Amino acid sequence: MNGWTGHILRVNLTTKTFKKEAFSEDFARKWIGGRGFAVKILYDELAPGIDPLGPDNKFIVALGPIAGIPAPNTGKAVVAGKSPSTGGYGDGNIGTRVAEQLRKAGYDALIVEGRAAGPTMLYIEDDKVEFLPADAVWGQGTYVTNDWIYAKYGKSVGVLNIGQAGENLVRYAVVRSLEGRAGGRTGMGAVMGSKLLKAVVVKGTKSIPQADPAGMKKVGHDDLREVHRIDKEAGWSIQSTNGVLAWCNEVAALPVRNFRKTHHPDAWKCDGERLNNARIATYGCPNCTMRCGITIHDEEGRESELDYENVGLLGPNLEIFDLPAIGSLNYLCDDYGIDTMSGGCVLSFYADAIDRGAVPGGYKFGDVAGSKALLGQIARREGEIGNILAEGSMRAARKFGHGSIDYAMQVKGLEVAAYNCKFIPGMALAFGVSPIGAHHKESWVITFELKQTSRESYGPEKAQKVIDLQRIRGGLFEYIVACRFPWIEVGWSLENYPKYFKLVSGLDWTLDDFWTISDRIYSMIKLFWLREYPETDRKLDYPPAVWFDPANVDTEGPIAGKHLEVDKYDGLLQHYYDLRGYDRRGIPTKATLERLGVAEEGRAAEKFGKLS
Amino acid sequence: MKITVKLIGPFVQLFGFSEKELDVPGGTTADDLIGLVSIDRSRPKIVTRNGRAVVPGEALAEGDRLVISPIYSGG
Ligand code: SF4
């Protein structure tokens, strides 16, 4: 089967057994890989209602048909499982050598089941699987763990590992790889931790089956050079993702003070220009020629790799504008294996809750030392407050009460990324309908909203744009499994991806064929949600309530006096449902499921929740 | 009239300044200003005036802040 290795590796940590399982060509064509494989496997194999942090959950690593093959930005893997933060399907993508090594070992996906008796490192080399003790690094951060693994196997192996946050089941713990890569902010690090799985190490020596290996090699190498050239011409990687910080500040879209403010006079201190000036090194994912990981010295002199999301949420959102200080908070998150975005939002929520008297405490916005200490308490689940905050902002708000849920900046239990949608209706919708909680990876419409339509509009054009972007960002790039940045940031044509797909698989598909796959996968994620939450309601697709609050408006600047309006937002949401073929709860109708070839999966969901 | 021009992201390095104040004649448009600061017109960009996207040919006013940015697509 060209384009796929045709096999999945299934490992059981309880019984210390493993199986190499073949999958059919039909399965491959219907789900492609990455997120498609992950959601289908989890839907078929997980009983609804299982504890995401119990042995019944499964940890999946899934790759796509172009993963690991030298071509623009293919060094990515999807990590997935039932999410401890949302209770629905959860995933994330991560830059890692596992992408290449697992495919060379002969697998398109890895399924980890059960729970080990003690801290374990899984070592996979082609057909061999070893269950090795990881006691030596249990309790250690991800940097020490990574070095320990490199010292044993060298730096060419693929590694996924967790820090203390994953071990201690922090609901927004991530998986880590390489110098500064992280993925699975829906709590995939905690899923690993719940299985006492400290690390997965992979080495492969086989070749990946391809329809036209010589053609792919030539095109892949030529395109890597071309992406490098156009990035240099555009200058994108000079400031990388943090270039957008200054712009967000100008257009009132920056999260400041738990998203209460949208811009700040000191934001320039941590913008892309300053980050580039402070750069000491640049890191990136495998098979990337536009590397975006800008590293600086933090306050303690350690190397810390920053991007926009972590600067935005650990910086201005906490009213911290000093880059080395932000670097320190980012370093701690990375070392503990805490998601930087959720970590930033949880801290800002706590400071806000204290500020508003919902909970007593001495922590304040702008408190760098306090932030450092709290991150440690969260990672170790130390004391009452460490334990509460380790649960994420939604659960912490339920505990604190006093209406604090209104300013817990999350959707469905996952904290929002670093775009303040106080008055950006389409982006608020993008967060609202992201099927895994408020993630920016699914859709990002702010420039469209400002340039192609009006910021004030709640019209169907915005809902359509959200869908178009979901098909590309949350669809194509998450199942073919490649980094979206060449397309997003330097204009690399989408038409390149059917071209690569044809070279590896021999299948001549159009982008429209891919959009059907994207819609199918989104429907499956919604079915997973329905099974877990039969009483699901459209309110779950609403953004945080504070964005609707007239008392929270800016008093000056470009959006002074403006806020999102509930009725209009609800109308925009309905446009989205109508265009998608979803019912009023946001669940695909039977007709939609039939059209997308998942009627059978729909019937399986009906045992738990109604379809219309 | 005095207008502040702010460049974003790699435009800072590519066009050689971060922010500057210009004294321009009344009636100057956003388009005219882009020419004045030697920004390559063919480059995809989004231009905002006081935080809102400008329409081509829009006339500027005293004290305006014009921000010229590449088209970011959100990480
Ligand atoms: S652009 Fe950044 S995230 Fe994407 S592959 Fe390159 S280094 Fe990784």
Side-chain angles (χ1 to χ4, degrees), chain A residues 233-235 238-239 243-244 247 250 273 276 444 447 450-451 456 473 484-485 488-489 558, chain B residues 6 8-10 12-14 18 43 45-46 48 50-53 65 67 69 72-75:
Chain A
E233 193 178 276
I238 298 172
Q239 298 188 8
V244 83
W247 188 73
E250 296 287 345
E273 211 181 322
N276 179 49
W444 196 92
T447 33
L450 264 72
K451 197 175 158 85
E456 282 77 6
R473 298 168 61 113
R484 57 187 180 268
F485 287 179
I488 284 181
E489 307 292 7
Chain B
K6 160 100 181 118
I8 301 284
V12 173
Q13 281 82 3
L14 295 175
S18 173
R43 215 168 248 282
K45 58 188 161 312
I46 176 163
T48 55
N50 308 326
R52 304 181 70 90
R65 184 171 174 82
V67 174
S69 170
Y72 280 103
S73 302

mmCIF file of all heavy atoms in Angstrom, chain A residues 233-235 238-239 243-244 247 250 273 276 444 447 450-451 456 473 484-485 488-489 558, chain B residues 6 8-10 12-14 18 43 45-46 48 50-53 65 67 69 72-75:
data_model
loop_
_atom_site.group_PDB
_atom_site.id
_atom_site.type_symbol
_atom_site.label_atom_id
_atom_site.label_comp_id
_atom_site.label_asym_id
_atom_site.label_seq_id
_atom_site.Cartn_x
_atom_site.Cartn_y
_atom_site.Cartn_z
ATOM 1 N N GLU A 233 12.916 35.834 1.624
ATOM 2 C CA GLU A 233 12.430 37.006 0.910
ATOM 3 C C GLU A 233 11.346 37.737 1.725
ATOM 4 O O GLU A 233 11.364 38.956 1.842
ATOM 5 C CB GLU A 233 11.847 36.536 -0.426
ATOM 6 C CG GLU A 233 11.574 37.642 -1.410
ATOM 7 C CD GLU A 233 11.054 37.041 -2.712
ATOM 8 O OE1 GLU A 233 11.873 36.625 -3.539
ATOM 9 O OE2 GLU A 233 9.809 36.969 -2.858
ATOM 10 N N ALA A 234 10.442 36.948 2.307
ATOM 11 C CA ALA A 234 9.360 37.567 3.094
ATOM 12 C C ALA A 234 9.870 38.047 4.446
ATOM 13 O O ALA A 234 9.306 38.950 5.056
ATOM 14 C CB ALA A 234 8.230 36.568 3.304
ATOM 15 N N GLY A 235 10.951 37.425 4.916
ATOM 16 C CA GLY A 235 11.519 37.818 6.206
ATOM 17 C C GLY A 235 10.718 37.309 7.388
ATOM 18 O O GLY A 235 10.908 37.748 8.520
ATOM 19 N N ILE A 238 12.384 36.183 10.717
ATOM 20 C CA ILE A 238 13.156 37.159 11.508
ATOM 21 C C ILE A 238 12.492 37.326 12.884
ATOM 22 O O ILE A 238 13.139 37.326 13.918
ATOM 23 C CB ILE A 238 13.224 38.534 10.797
ATOM 24 C CG1 ILE A 238 13.928 38.412 9.449
ATOM 25 C CG2 ILE A 238 13.937 39.555 11.683
ATOM 26 C CD1 ILE A 238 13.851 39.685 8.610
ATOM 27 N N GLN A 239 11.186 37.468 12.881
ATOM 28 C CA GLN A 239 10.464 37.610 14.156
ATOM 29 C C GLN A 239 9.569 36.411 14.425
ATOM 30 O O GLN A 239 8.998 36.286 15.506
ATOM 31 C CB GLN A 239 9.626 38.887 14.162
ATOM 32 C CG GLN A 239 10.450 40.161 14.018
ATOM 33 C CD GLN A 239 9.623 41.421 14.228
ATOM 34 O OE1 GLN A 239 8.464 41.386 14.631
ATOM 35 N NE2 GLN A 239 10.237 42.565 13.957
ATOM 36 N N GLY A 243 6.015 38.165 15.560
ATOM 37 C CA GLY A 243 5.800 39.381 14.778
ATOM 38 C C GLY A 243 4.387 39.912 14.970
ATOM 39 O O GLY A 243 4.144 41.115 14.922
ATOM 40 N N VAL A 244 3.455 39.002 15.215
ATOM 41 C CA VAL A 244 2.049 39.409 15.275
ATOM 42 C C VAL A 244 1.702 40.145 16.582
ATOM 43 O O VAL A 244 0.678 40.810 16.662
ATOM 44 C CB VAL A 244 1.135 38.163 15.074
ATOM 45 C CG1 VAL A 244 0.941 37.385 16.363
ATOM 46 C CG2 VAL A 244 -0.220 38.547 14.484
ATOM 47 N N TRP A 247 1.200 43.839 16.154
ATOM 48 C CA TRP A 247 -0.017 44.096 15.378
ATOM 49 C C TRP A 247 -1.263 43.904 16.248
ATOM 50 O O TRP A 247 -2.173 44.735 16.225
ATOM 51 C CB TRP A 247 -0.058 43.172 14.151
ATOM 52 C CG TRP A 247 -1.178 43.512 13.224
ATOM 53 C CD1 TRP A 247 -1.253 44.600 12.399
ATOM 54 C CD2 TRP A 247 -2.399 42.779 13.051
ATOM 55 N NE1 TRP A 247 -2.444 44.585 11.715
ATOM 56 C CE2 TRP A 247 -3.175 43.480 12.092
ATOM 57 C CE3 TRP A 247 -2.918 41.610 13.586
ATOM 58 C CZ2 TRP A 247 -4.430 43.050 11.668
ATOM 59 C CZ3 TRP A 247 -4.170 41.173 13.171
ATOM 60 C CH2 TRP A 247 -4.917 41.892 12.220
ATOM 61 N N GLU A 250 -1.803 46.851 18.238
ATOM 62 C CA GLU A 250 -2.320 48.014 17.491
ATOM 63 C C GLU A 250 -3.813 47.895 17.194
ATOM 64 O O GLU A 250 -4.515 48.899 17.144
ATOM 65 C CB GLU A 250 -1.558 48.172 16.161
ATOM 66 C CG GLU A 250 -0.077 48.481 16.310
ATOM 67 C CD GLU A 250 0.196 49.907 16.785
ATOM 68 O OE1 GLU A 250 -0.715 50.742 16.738
ATOM 69 O OE2 GLU A 250 1.344 50.170 17.212
ATOM 70 N N GLU A 273 10.337 42.369 17.426
ATOM 71 C CA GLU A 273 11.596 43.078 17.197
ATOM 72 C C GLU A 273 12.544 42.845 18.379
ATOM 73 O O GLU A 273 13.722 42.533 18.204
ATOM 74 C CB GLU A 273 11.252 44.566 17.085
ATOM 75 C CG GLU A 273 12.142 45.354 16.200
ATOM 76 C CD GLU A 273 11.726 46.830 16.196
ATOM 77 O OE1 GLU A 273 10.510 47.135 16.224
ATOM 78 O OE2 GLU A 273 12.629 47.669 16.174
ATOM 79 N N ASN A 276 13.700 39.194 18.498
ATOM 80 C CA ASN A 276 14.774 38.936 17.530
ATOM 81 C C ASN A 276 16.093 39.521 18.019
ATOM 82 O O ASN A 276 17.148 38.900 17.890
ATOM 83 C CB ASN A 276 14.392 39.517 16.171
ATOM 84 C CG ASN A 276 15.477 39.297 15.141
ATOM 85 O OD1 ASN A 276 15.981 38.176 14.993
ATOM 86 N ND2 ASN A 276 15.867 40.351 14.445
ATOM 87 N N TRP A 444 -8.331 30.746 12.066
ATOM 88 C CA TRP A 444 -7.836 32.051 12.518
ATOM 89 C C TRP A 444 -8.277 33.072 11.490
ATOM 90 O O TRP A 444 -7.840 33.032 10.351
ATOM 91 C CB TRP A 444 -6.316 32.013 12.638
ATOM 92 C CG TRP A 444 -5.723 33.138 13.424
ATOM 93 C CD1 TRP A 444 -5.451 33.146 14.761
ATOM 94 C CD2 TRP A 444 -5.318 34.430 12.937
ATOM 95 N NE1 TRP A 444 -4.909 34.352 15.131
ATOM 96 C CE2 TRP A 444 -4.813 35.160 14.038
ATOM 97 C CE3 TRP A 444 -5.338 35.049 11.691
ATOM 98 C CZ2 TRP A 444 -4.325 36.463 13.916
ATOM 99 C CZ3 TRP A 444 -4.856 36.351 11.567
ATOM 100 C CH2 TRP A 444 -4.352 37.041 12.684
ATOM 101 N N THR A 447 -7.318 38.697 10.383
ATOM 102 C CA THR A 447 -6.981 39.606 9.271
ATOM 103 C C THR A 447 -8.122 39.656 8.259
ATOM 104 O O THR A 447 -8.429 40.709 7.706
ATOM 105 C CB THR A 447 -5.661 39.233 8.565
ATOM 106 O OG1 THR A 447 -5.496 37.832 8.576
ATOM 107 C CG2 THR A 447 -4.478 39.872 9.218
ATOM 108 N N LEU A 450 -10.735 42.031 9.546
ATOM 109 C CA LEU A 450 -10.409 43.449 9.468
ATOM 110 C C LEU A 450 -10.293 43.940 8.029
ATOM 111 O O LEU A 450 -10.644 45.064 7.725
ATOM 112 C CB LEU A 450 -9.105 43.735 10.226
ATOM 113 C CG LEU A 450 -9.320 44.224 11.657
ATOM 114 C CD1 LEU A 450 -9.810 43.122 12.550
ATOM 115 C CD2 LEU A 450 -8.054 44.837 12.211
ATOM 116 N N LYS A 451 -9.776 43.069 7.156
ATOM 117 C CA LYS A 451 -9.439 43.534 5.813
ATOM 118 C C LYS A 451 -10.542 43.238 4.781
ATOM 119 O O LYS A 451 -10.905 44.097 4.003
ATOM 120 C CB LYS A 451 -8.127 42.860 5.382
ATOM 121 C CG LYS A 451 -7.436 43.530 4.193
ATOM 122 C CD LYS A 451 -6.097 42.866 3.939
ATOM 123 C CE LYS A 451 -5.595 43.060 2.529
ATOM 124 N NZ LYS A 451 -4.880 44.288 2.298
ATOM 125 N N GLU A 456 -17.355 44.678 12.584
ATOM 126 C CA GLU A 456 -18.686 44.685 13.199
ATOM 127 C C GLU A 456 -19.567 43.541 12.711
ATOM 128 O O GLU A 456 -20.545 43.187 13.346
ATOM 129 C CB GLU A 456 -19.425 46.003 12.868
ATOM 130 C CG GLU A 456 -18.994 47.203 13.679
ATOM 131 C CD GLU A 456 -17.669 47.803 13.209
ATOM 132 O OE1 GLU A 456 -17.132 47.360 12.168
ATOM 133 O OE2 GLU A 456 -17.165 48.699 13.899
ATOM 134 N N ARG A 473 -6.679 23.989 8.167
ATOM 135 C CA ARG A 473 -5.801 23.968 9.341
ATOM 136 C C ARG A 473 -6.100 22.793 10.260
ATOM 137 O O ARG A 473 -5.192 22.051 10.638
ATOM 138 C CB ARG A 473 -5.950 25.282 10.129
ATOM 139 C CG ARG A 473 -5.552 26.518 9.358
ATOM 140 C CD ARG A 473 -6.004 27.802 10.074
ATOM 141 N NE ARG A 473 -5.405 27.947 11.383
ATOM 142 C CZ ARG A 473 -4.531 28.886 11.734
ATOM 143 N NH1 ARG A 473 -4.168 29.792 10.843
ATOM 144 N NH2 ARG A 473 -4.044 28.949 12.943
ATOM 145 N N ARG A 484 1.549 23.801 9.270
ATOM 146 C CA ARG A 484 0.772 24.681 8.393
ATOM 147 C C ARG A 484 1.506 25.981 8.045
ATOM 148 O O ARG A 484 1.072 26.746 7.186
ATOM 149 C CB ARG A 484 -0.578 24.993 9.044
ATOM 150 C CG ARG A 484 -0.464 25.625 10.407
ATOM 151 C CD ARG A 484 -1.790 25.789 11.113
ATOM 152 N NE ARG A 484 -1.575 26.401 12.409
ATOM 153 C CZ ARG A 484 -1.375 25.729 13.550
ATOM 154 N NH1 ARG A 484 -1.397 24.410 13.539
ATOM 155 N NH2 ARG A 484 -1.158 26.360 14.681
ATOM 156 N N PHE A 485 2.622 26.272 8.708
ATOM 157 C CA PHE A 485 3.248 27.588 8.550
ATOM 158 C C PHE A 485 3.723 27.934 7.137
ATOM 159 O O PHE A 485 3.636 29.093 6.747
ATOM 160 C CB PHE A 485 4.398 27.769 9.545
ATOM 161 C CG PHE A 485 3.936 27.988 10.962
ATOM 162 C CD1 PHE A 485 4.850 28.156 11.997
ATOM 163 C CD2 PHE A 485 2.596 28.038 11.273
ATOM 164 C CE1 PHE A 485 4.425 28.355 13.305
ATOM 165 C CE2 PHE A 485 2.153 28.230 12.581
ATOM 166 C CZ PHE A 485 3.079 28.395 13.596
ATOM 167 N N ILE A 488 0.559 29.197 5.714
ATOM 168 C CA ILE A 488 0.036 30.344 6.452
ATOM 169 C C ILE A 488 0.931 31.572 6.333
ATOM 170 O O ILE A 488 0.474 32.669 6.079
ATOM 171 C CB ILE A 488 -0.065 29.999 7.960
ATOM 172 C CG1 ILE A 488 -1.254 29.096 8.208
ATOM 173 C CG2 ILE A 488 -0.173 31.240 8.804
ATOM 174 C CD1 ILE A 488 -1.426 28.744 9.664
ATOM 175 N N GLU A 489 2.207 31.356 6.570
ATOM 176 C CA GLU A 489 3.068 32.516 6.800
ATOM 177 C C GLU A 489 3.862 32.972 5.580
ATOM 178 O O GLU A 489 4.221 34.137 5.501
ATOM 179 C CB GLU A 489 4.028 32.258 7.977
ATOM 180 C CG GLU A 489 3.326 31.816 9.265
ATOM 181 C CD GLU A 489 2.471 32.909 9.920
ATOM 182 O OE1 GLU A 489 2.304 33.974 9.328
ATOM 183 O OE2 GLU A 489 1.968 32.665 11.038
ATOM 184 N N PRO A 558 -8.985 51.633 19.697
ATOM 185 C CA PRO A 558 -9.780 51.359 18.494
ATOM 186 C C PRO A 558 -11.146 50.726 18.747
ATOM 187 O O PRO A 558 -12.023 50.839 17.917
ATOM 188 C CB PRO A 558 -8.908 50.386 17.692
ATOM 189 C CG PRO A 558 -7.587 50.359 18.329
ATOM 190 C CD PRO A 558 -7.685 50.951 19.692
ATOM 191 N N LYS B 6 3.884 53.110 11.760
ATOM 192 C CA LYS B 6 4.512 52.015 12.524
ATOM 193 C C LYS B 6 4.543 50.784 11.622
ATOM 194 O O LYS B 6 3.529 50.416 11.021
ATOM 195 C CB LYS B 6 3.660 51.758 13.789
ATOM 196 C CG LYS B 6 3.867 50.405 14.429
ATOM 197 C CD LYS B 6 4.794 50.497 15.616
ATOM 198 C CE LYS B 6 5.020 49.134 16.250
ATOM 199 N NZ LYS B 6 6.425 48.726 16.185
ATOM 200 N N ILE B 8 5.342 46.632 11.188
ATOM 201 C CA ILE B 8 5.177 45.437 12.018
ATOM 202 C C ILE B 8 6.034 44.298 11.474
ATOM 203 O O ILE B 8 6.215 44.166 10.265
ATOM 204 C CB ILE B 8 3.690 44.991 12.017
ATOM 205 C CG1 ILE B 8 2.784 46.099 12.548
ATOM 206 C CG2 ILE B 8 3.484 43.684 12.779
ATOM 207 C CD1 ILE B 8 2.786 46.313 14.048
ATOM 208 N N GLY B 9 6.495 43.462 12.377
ATOM 209 C CA GLY B 9 7.161 42.208 12.008
ATOM 210 C C GLY B 9 8.380 42.436 11.139
ATOM 211 O O GLY B 9 9.135 43.404 11.330
ATOM 212 N N PRO B 10 8.589 41.595 10.143
ATOM 213 C CA PRO B 10 9.808 41.685 9.339
ATOM 214 C C PRO B 10 9.903 42.977 8.533
ATOM 215 O O PRO B 10 10.983 43.333 8.079
ATOM 216 C CB PRO B 10 9.700 40.479 8.394
ATOM 217 C CG PRO B 10 8.264 40.071 8.394
ATOM 218 C CD PRO B 10 7.743 40.444 9.747
ATOM 219 N N VAL B 12 9.993 45.770 9.662
ATOM 220 C CA VAL B 12 10.936 46.613 10.410
ATOM 221 C C VAL B 12 12.346 46.423 9.840
ATOM 222 O O VAL B 12 13.044 47.384 9.526
ATOM 223 C CB VAL B 12 10.913 46.250 11.914
ATOM 224 C CG1 VAL B 12 12.008 46.980 12.673
ATOM 225 C CG2 VAL B 12 9.547 46.555 12.515
ATOM 226 N N GLN B 13 12.737 45.148 9.705
ATOM 227 C CA GLN B 13 14.081 44.875 9.203
ATOM 228 C C GLN B 13 14.164 45.146 7.695
ATOM 229 O O GLN B 13 15.152 45.655 7.203
ATOM 230 C CB GLN B 13 14.474 43.423 9.486
ATOM 231 C CG GLN B 13 14.926 43.170 10.925
ATOM 232 C CD GLN B 13 13.775 42.971 11.903
ATOM 233 O OE1 GLN B 13 12.604 42.952 11.541
ATOM 234 N NE2 GLN B 13 14.110 42.836 13.184
ATOM 235 N N LEU B 14 13.099 44.812 6.977
ATOM 236 C CA LEU B 14 13.156 44.932 5.515
ATOM 237 C C LEU B 14 13.155 46.381 5.053
ATOM 238 O O LEU B 14 13.787 46.732 4.067
ATOM 239 C CB LEU B 14 11.982 44.182 4.882
ATOM 240 C CG LEU B 14 11.986 42.652 5.079
ATOM 241 C CD1 LEU B 14 10.710 42.029 4.526
ATOM 242 C CD2 LEU B 14 13.197 42.010 4.401
ATOM 243 N N SER B 18 11.242 51.269 12.527
ATOM 244 C CA SER B 18 10.188 50.626 13.301
ATOM 245 C C SER B 18 8.965 51.549 13.398
ATOM 246 O O SER B 18 7.848 51.152 13.142
ATOM 247 C CB SER B 18 10.733 50.302 14.695
ATOM 248 O OG SER B 18 9.706 49.828 15.513
ATOM 249 N N ARG B 43 3.929 44.030 -2.095
ATOM 250 C CA ARG B 43 3.983 43.126 -0.952
ATOM 251 C C ARG B 43 2.613 43.006 -0.266
ATOM 252 O O ARG B 43 1.997 44.026 0.050
ATOM 253 C CB ARG B 43 4.983 43.680 0.068
ATOM 254 C CG ARG B 43 5.739 42.627 0.784
ATOM 255 C CD ARG B 43 6.868 43.286 1.504
ATOM 256 N NE ARG B 43 8.144 42.906 0.934
ATOM 257 C CZ ARG B 43 8.738 41.752 1.158
ATOM 258 N NH1 ARG B 43 8.199 40.855 1.923
ATOM 259 N NH2 ARG B 43 9.900 41.484 0.602
ATOM 260 N N LYS B 45 -0.052 43.068 2.355
ATOM 261 C CA LYS B 45 0.008 43.765 3.658
ATOM 262 C C LYS B 45 -1.380 44.157 4.111
ATOM 263 O O LYS B 45 -2.320 44.183 3.324
ATOM 264 C CB LYS B 45 0.901 45.003 3.565
ATOM 265 C CG LYS B 45 0.447 45.998 2.517
ATOM 266 C CD LYS B 45 1.476 47.080 2.362
ATOM 267 C CE LYS B 45 1.346 47.847 1.056
ATOM 268 N NZ LYS B 45 1.214 47.051 -0.151
ATOM 269 N N ILE B 46 -1.457 44.462 5.383
ATOM 270 C CA ILE B 46 -2.704 45.036 5.899
ATOM 271 C C ILE B 46 -2.337 46.366 6.557
ATOM 272 O O ILE B 46 -1.385 46.448 7.340
ATOM 273 C CB ILE B 46 -3.455 44.073 6.856
ATOM 274 C CG1 ILE B 46 -4.698 44.737 7.442
ATOM 275 C CG2 ILE B 46 -2.580 43.503 7.946
ATOM 276 C CD1 ILE B 46 -5.689 43.761 8.052
ATOM 277 N N THR B 48 -3.623 49.536 8.787
ATOM 278 C CA THR B 48 -4.689 50.016 9.663
ATOM 279 C C THR B 48 -4.422 51.470 10.047
ATOM 280 O O THR B 48 -3.275 51.903 10.159
ATOM 281 C CB THR B 48 -4.810 49.174 10.954
ATOM 282 O OG1 THR B 48 -3.542 49.151 11.613
ATOM 283 C CG2 THR B 48 -5.236 47.750 10.672
ATOM 284 N N ASN B 50 -5.442 54.000 12.984
ATOM 285 C CA ASN B 50 -5.986 54.039 14.346
ATOM 286 C C ASN B 50 -6.702 52.736 14.689
ATOM 287 O O ASN B 50 -7.794 52.719 15.256
ATOM 288 C CB ASN B 50 -6.932 55.238 14.509
ATOM 289 C CG ASN B 50 -6.265 56.526 14.070
ATOM 290 O OD1 ASN B 50 -5.057 56.689 14.253
ATOM 291 N ND2 ASN B 50 -7.023 57.428 13.463
ATOM 292 N N GLY B 51 -6.093 51.621 14.274
ATOM 293 C CA GLY B 51 -6.607 50.305 14.664
ATOM 294 C C GLY B 51 -7.659 49.716 13.747
ATOM 295 O O GLY B 51 -8.120 48.606 13.962
ATOM 296 N N ARG B 52 -8.062 50.449 12.709
ATOM 297 C CA ARG B 52 -9.074 49.918 11.784
ATOM 298 C C ARG B 52 -8.490 49.853 10.373
ATOM 299 O O ARG B 52 -7.743 50.746 9.980
ATOM 300 C CB ARG B 52 -10.315 50.807 11.769
ATOM 301 C CG ARG B 52 -10.929 51.003 13.143
ATOM 302 C CD ARG B 52 -12.169 51.872 13.045
ATOM 303 N NE ARG B 52 -13.237 51.141 12.367
ATOM 304 C CZ ARG B 52 -14.136 50.383 13.002
ATOM 305 N NH1 ARG B 52 -14.096 50.279 14.307
ATOM 306 N NH2 ARG B 52 -15.077 49.768 12.338
ATOM 307 N N ALA B 53 -8.856 48.793 9.620
ATOM 308 C CA ALA B 53 -8.302 48.630 8.278
ATOM 309 C C ALA B 53 -8.685 49.827 7.410
ATOM 310 O O ALA B 53 -9.819 50.298 7.467
ATOM 311 C CB ALA B 53 -8.832 47.340 7.668
ATOM 312 N N ARG B 65 -2.463 57.353 13.338
ATOM 313 C CA ARG B 65 -1.422 56.330 13.490
ATOM 314 C C ARG B 65 -1.688 55.277 12.423
ATOM 315 O O ARG B 65 -2.729 54.616 12.422
ATOM 316 C CB ARG B 65 -1.527 55.720 14.888
ATOM 317 C CG ARG B 65 -0.442 54.719 15.207
ATOM 318 C CD ARG B 65 -0.508 54.356 16.692
ATOM 319 N NE ARG B 65 0.425 53.287 17.001
ATOM 320 C CZ ARG B 65 1.729 53.456 17.240
ATOM 321 N NH1 ARG B 65 2.240 54.671 17.205
ATOM 322 N NH2 ARG B 65 2.503 52.426 17.508
ATOM 323 N N VAL B 67 -0.542 51.849 10.670
ATOM 324 C CA VAL B 67 0.247 50.646 10.953
ATOM 325 C C VAL B 67 0.267 49.763 9.720
ATOM 326 O O VAL B 67 -0.788 49.444 9.157
ATOM 327 C CB VAL B 67 -0.340 49.893 12.169
ATOM 328 C CG1 VAL B 67 0.373 48.571 12.375
ATOM 329 C CG2 VAL B 67 -0.238 50.758 13.427
ATOM 330 N N SER B 69 1.458 46.222 8.163
ATOM 331 C CA SER B 69 1.843 44.898 8.650
ATOM 332 C C SER B 69 1.752 43.871 7.534
ATOM 333 O O SER B 69 0.900 43.981 6.652
ATOM 334 C CB SER B 69 0.883 44.498 9.788
ATOM 335 O OG SER B 69 1.058 43.151 10.136
ATOM 336 N N TYR B 72 -0.644 38.523 8.627
ATOM 337 C CA TYR B 72 -0.460 37.374 9.517
ATOM 338 C C TYR B 72 -1.670 36.465 9.438
ATOM 339 O O TYR B 72 -2.780 36.909 9.170
ATOM 340 C CB TYR B 72 -0.252 37.853 10.957
ATOM 341 C CG TYR B 72 1.156 38.315 11.189
ATOM 342 C CD1 TYR B 72 1.469 39.662 11.245
ATOM 343 C CD2 TYR B 72 2.189 37.388 11.298
ATOM 344 C CE1 TYR B 72 2.773 40.087 11.425
ATOM 345 C CE2 TYR B 72 3.497 37.805 11.483
ATOM 346 C CZ TYR B 72 3.785 39.153 11.549
ATOM 347 O OH TYR B 72 5.069 39.557 11.721
ATOM 348 N N SER B 73 -1.426 35.203 9.662
ATOM 349 C CA SER B 73 -2.535 34.262 9.600
ATOM 350 C C SER B 73 -2.622 33.410 10.844
ATOM 351 O O SER B 73 -3.172 32.315 10.826
ATOM 352 C CB SER B 73 -2.411 33.399 8.353
ATOM 353 O OG SER B 73 -2.388 34.219 7.223
ATOM 354 N N GLY B 74 -2.024 33.906 11.905
ATOM 355 C CA GLY B 74 -2.331 33.360 13.205
ATOM 356 C C GLY B 74 -1.688 32.070 13.632
ATOM 357 O O GLY B 74 -2.350 31.202 14.179
ATOM 358 N N GLY B 75 -0.377 31.938 13.428
ATOM 359 C CA GLY B 75 0.376 30.856 14.048
ATOM 360 C C GLY B 75 -0.228 29.470 13.927
ATOM 361 O O GLY B 75 -1.240 29.269 13.307
#
